[in-house]
Amino acid sequence: MAEKFHAELKNLKKDTVAMAGLGRSMLRTAVDALIRQDKEMAASVVAQKDEIHRMEVEIEEHCYQLIALNQPMAKDMRVIACTLKVITASMRIGRYGKVIANIVREISDKPHIANMMSIPHMADLVIDMVDDAVLAYDKDDISIIRDFSVRDDTIDALRHSIFREGITYMMEDPKNISRCTHYIMAARYLERCADHSCKIAENVHYMHTGERIEIH
Amino acid sequence: MSDTCVISTTNLNLWYHEKHALEAVTMKIPKNRVTALIGPSGCGKSTLLRCFNRLNDLIDHVKITGEIMLDDENIHAPDTDVVHLRKRVGMVFQKPNPFPKSIYENIAYGPRVHGVTDKAGLDKVVEQSLRHAAIWDEVKDRLGDSALGLSGGQQQRLCIARTLAVNPEVILMDEPCSALDPIATAKIENLMDRLKTEYTVIIVTHSMQQAARVSDYTGFMYLGKLIECGRTKEIFEHPREELTENYITGRFG
């Protein structure tokens, strides 16, 4: 029976990595749609919200079923506990993708200001963090997430810099206020996605070692 | 372990003939706590349990080295009174084994051997022991009936009451629920939780879920060695040893 349970755990992880991949892809596509001002692309992200929700519910139910039927312990228990956190974080990341996609509708009529400041660069860094956190979960390898604290600091600094820069464009011309406010909000959503990748990393560390850490 | 310890073993070794059944076991049993011993069949957990009240003395060709201390007394010291030791360290076995006597006589037997003879004194001990073992309400109106007429779960609680009647300090339980159904098992587990306020309980169990449910401390044994011993929640959440991890996650055993 233990063999069957461990095969199910492997499948659970596979499904979770697939769901995290969808959340990541929603975020990536939304940022690309924002950069290119592509409304169709943005609409495709919004359309995926039901699918990611369905995956989250399915994986969550699978976790509860595995707990109820197998009373897992030690590493097995920690894999399931971590999985429950990974799917929550992935759902949030996907939803921030959807929220960024909604911005595209609002600001696609006129050209970007200042090439969107550092938003494209910030998005690349955030998506790298999401990728690495999920890879660490998939491979059970905490060496991948060792530098997350420093990487999260960089993201915070970029958000702050986008905020200050956005204010200066607003002060220059009040017509920029609406557009720059959306940029500042997009930077805020990206920063939250980095925080969710840190949450995944913290849980992967717990899954791997049994010890808690906090990534600031 | 920060709790006060009641039994400690140091470098305990035991051989049955040539078979080295316990190898250099050093552990502490905390007072007023439930300690569970787990491990695959033949790992030595029952043998270790039986060392604590010298039941292995009854088996031929057993050789023991090392030390077992009960409070400050070495239980292998030449002047140890084994009958007194077994009064202090009682035992409940896998299969309920009531005497073929009345319920009352099963409980009164031990105190009588230890010198309680007046009827009022015996009545009091019988009632108190049956109450402590959470079976008084079920048997109070039929104390004269044969103990063999009780259900398996009731017989096991009767055996626990019989152990309590001589006022032990430590209660050893060797797979006490393996012959019982889930409801009777739940009653014994609840009982263990209550008993630890007054006694120290050591339980051998093949069920890891039971060890996780009932114990405060857990020792994992493998091929005669104590691999790891610590707080139950730590052993089952993140054991230090890979062998423990592999056993409790069902990868062997």
Side-chain angles (χ1 to χ4, degrees):
Chain A
M1 287 314 285
E3 255 174 51
K4 186 176 163 234
F5 171 63
H6 290 123
E8 283 209 51
L9 266 190
K10 264 191 193 160
N11 282 336
L12 180 78
K13 281 188 82 172
K14 209 172 98 193
D15 292 346
T16 305
V17 170
M19 185 204 158
L22 177 58
R24 181 257 191 222
S25 138
M26 286 172 74
L27 182 66
R28 176 75 262 175
T29 311
V31 171
D32 288 343
L34 185 66
I35 295 168
R36 294 179 209 161
Q37 302 195 305
D38 185 333
K39 283 188 189 171
E40 251 175 58
M41 210 175 176
S44 76
V45 175
V46 177
Q48 283 173 314
K49 73 175 196 310
D50 291 342
E51 173 62 5
I52 196 165
H53 180 251
R54 186 195 63 75
M55 287 171 105
E56 187 195 20
V57 170
E58 200 174 285
I59 295 169
E60 193 177 336
E61 276 176 7
H62 193 191
C63 287
Y64 296 148
Q65 192 189 72
L66 287 172
I67 293 169
L69 299 183
N70 299 279
Q71 296 96 44
M73 290 179 174
K75 182 75 173 278
D76 296 344
M77 184 273 292
R78 300 199 306 267
V79 167
I80 296 176
C82 179
T83 298
L84 284 166
K85 297 286 188 179
V86 172
I87 57 171
T88 305
S90 301
M91 179 73 197
R92 296 270 159 82
I93 290 168
R95 268 179 27 196
Y96 279 121
K98 190 200 85 178
V99 177
I100 291 172
N102 283 335
I103 295 176
V104 179
R105 271 207 312 255
E106 305 284 328
I107 61 169
S108 58
D109 53 331
K110 283 183 194 155
H112 283 304
I113 297 166
N115 289 327
M116 299 176 69
M117 303 177 277
S118 311
I119 289 178
H121 172 61
M122 182 183 181
D124 288 346
L125 296 183
V126 168
I127 288 162
D128 280 350
M129 285 178 78
V130 173
D131 284 342
D132 284 349
V134 176
L135 184 67
Y137 166 78
D138 189 21
K139 303 287 175 211
D140 196 9
D141 180 357
I142 55 171
S143 68
I144 302 168
I145 51 166
R146 231 163 238 151
D147 56 357
F148 258 46
S149 185
V150 178
R151 290 165 77 176
D152 192 45
D153 287 347
T154 307
I155 298 299
D156 288 345
L158 279 168
R159 186 196 66 79
H160 191 57
S161 132
I162 290 167
F163 174 76
R164 282 186 317 175
E165 199 179 335
I167 297 281
T168 61
Y169 295 123
M170 291 192 222
M171 286 161 72
E172 269 173 31
D173 183 351
K175 287 197 204 75
N176 291 336
I177 289 178
S178 167
R179 186 163 296 264
C180 285
T181 305
H182 282 304
Y183 290 151
I184 289 170
M185 291 309 291
R188 169 71 182 146
Y189 301 145
L190 286 169
E191 188 228 335
R192 291 298 301 141
C193 289
D195 289 345
H196 285 301
S197 75
C198 289
K199 272 280 159 240
I200 294 177
E202 286 172 3
N203 281 285
V204 170
H205 190 276
Y206 171 69
M207 174 179 88
H208 187 83
T209 63
E211 279 157 22
R212 303 267 177 198
I213 53 162
E214 204 177 337
I215 298 171
H216 295 288
Chain B
M1 288 183 196
S2 53
D3 293 307
T4 321
C5 127
V6 61
I7 291 179
S8 65
T9 72
T10 310
N11 205 19
L12 181 70
N13 286 277
L14 183 145
W15 289 263
Y16 293 119
H17 295 276
E18 299 300 308
K19 184 177 161 47
H20 200 170
L22 290 178
E23 288 186 42
V25 174
T26 296
M27 81 180 295
K28 290 181 192 308
I29 305 291
K31 196 178 163 95
N32 294 115
R33 296 284 179 266
V34 177
T35 300
L37 296 172
I38 59 167
S41 296
C43 67
K45 51 193 191 293
S46 288
T47 301
L48 177 61
L49 194 76
R50 294 159 65 94
C51 283
F52 295 140
N53 66 354
R54 286 182 55 179
L55 272 192
N56 292 314
D57 289 14
L58 307 173
I59 301 167
D60 291 335
H61 307 292
V62 165
K63 184 183 148 200
I64 298 173
T65 64
E67 193 179 68
I68 304 175
M69 301 294 287
L70 173 61
D71 293 327
D72 298 327
E73 291 171 39
N74 181 344
I75 69 165
H76 288 117
D79 59 346
T80 298
D81 175 351
V82 179
V83 175
H84 183 66
L85 169 70
R86 291 179 192 147
K87 175 181 174 298
R88 293 178 67 191
V89 184
M91 186 142 187
V92 177
F93 296 88
Q94 184 170 9
K95 203 161 164 265
N97 54 352
F99 302 137
K101 288 169 178 281
S102 70
I103 293 168
Y104 184 96
E105 284 304 318
N106 262 274
I107 310 299
Y109 187 85
R112 255 199 214 109
V113 168
H114 289 284
V116 183
T117 48
D118 66 300
K119 175 83 170 72
L122 282 174
D123 286 355
K124 198 176 153 202
V125 173
V126 169
E127 180 176 342
Q128 230 169 34
S129 308
L130 290 169
R131 277 190 189 280
H132 265 144
I135 189 179
W136 172 251
D137 289 338
E138 292 163 58
V139 299
K140 64 184 176 193
D141 299 324
R142 47 173 174 148
L143 293 174
D145 291 3
S146 169
L148 301 178
L150 297 172
S151 72
Q154 287 172 327
Q155 287 189 9
Q156 194 62 306
R157 277 179 286 145
L158 182 79
C159 292
I160 293 172
R162 189 175 65 188
T163 307
L164 301 181
V166 294
N167 198 22
E169 293 162 48
V170 179
I171 304 167
L172 309 176
M173 296 188 176
D174 193 353
E175 304 263 17
C177 303
S178 61
L180 306 182
D181 65 52
I183 292 171
T185 298
K187 284 186 181 163
I188 302 277
E189 289 180 359
N190 289 337
L191 180 59
M192 273 185 241
D193 201 49
R194 285 204 295 277
L195 287 176
K196 73 179 181 188
T197 56
E198 290 180 53
Y199 311 92
T200 299
V201 179
I202 311 174
I203 173 178
V204 161
T205 174
H206 67 271
S207 160
M208 282 176 290
Q209 281 74 27
Q210 182 172 60
R213 281 194 300 268
V214 304
S215 69
D216 302 292
Y217 291 88
T218 296
F220 167 61
M221 297 187 69
Y222 182 68
L223 298 178
K225 292 184 181 128
L226 180 69
I227 304 297
E228 186 169 355
C229 188
R231 288 187 189 274
T232 296
K233 59 180 181 187
E234 280 160 23
I235 297 281
F236 286 109
E237 193 183 332
H238 51 99
R240 289 188 305 274
E241 302 294 329
E242 200 182 341
L243 208 52
T244 317
E245 171 89 39
N246 288 342
Y247 179 70
I248 63 174
T249 55
R251 285 175 169 82
F252 77 91

